[in-house]
Amino acid sequence: MEARRAVVPVVATPNRATRTIRQQSAAQAPGFNCRRARNDITAAICSDAGLAALDRQLTSRFAALDRSADPATVQRIHHGETTFLNARQTCPDRDCIADAYRLRLRELDEVGR
């Protein structure tokens, strides 16, 4: 009679390479959740590494100013953010989106000085 071997299910556990890939993917994502990308602009940002990088820079700079600026400045940067988002939504292409981000980043640099 032949001996039977027990079947042991193989469960994949994340190894260092898998974690690194996930971290890189998260590092390349924009500052918002791409699962919530509801329009062409946010979808374009999610699918373009350069736009995602600009979004991360803007998110970081905005958050830093939001934490450190006086209340009047915070109000001003929040108003500017609404203006930026409205302008970004009118962009017909990637270059326009990138230009909108670069302009907003320059504006925030001026506020931070």
Side-chain angles (χ1 to χ4, degrees):
M1 196 189 282
E2 204 175 296
R4 293 181 134 188
R5 286 194 241 171
V7 177
V8 179
V10 177
V11 178
T13 56
N15 60 24
R16 182 176 291 161
T18 304
R19 284 191 302 271
T20 301
I21 290 169
R22 285 185 189 148
Q23 288 168 346
Q24 287 172 344
S25 295
Q28 294 171 349
F32 60 89
N33 186 340
C34 285
R35 291 184 187 144
R36 296 188 179 137
R38 301 277 187 241
N39 59 54
D40 292 342
I41 301 298
T42 53
I45 295 164
C46 289
S47 67
D48 185 291
L51 293 177
L54 286 168
D55 189 78
R56 285 191 309 276
Q57 289 174 24
L58 181 60
T59 300
S60 175
R61 199 153 311 151
F62 181 87
L65 281 170
D66 196 43
R67 285 188 307 267
S68 64
D70 63 86
T73 302
V74 168
Q75 185 176 12
R76 196 169 87 227
I77 65 171
H78 278 266
H79 175 74
E81 193 69 7
T82 301
T83 303
F84 157 72
L85 291 171
N86 290 335
R88 186 188 73 178
Q89 284 307 114
T90 66
C91 283
D93 58 32
R94 183 219 176 276
D95 290 337
C96 176
I97 298 167
D99 288 344
Y101 272 101
R102 285 190 278 273
L103 175 62
R104 182 64 177 149
L105 286 164
R106 283 193 302 274
E107 290 170 356
L108 292 179
D109 283 345
E110 290 297 317
V111 170
R113 289 185 185 164

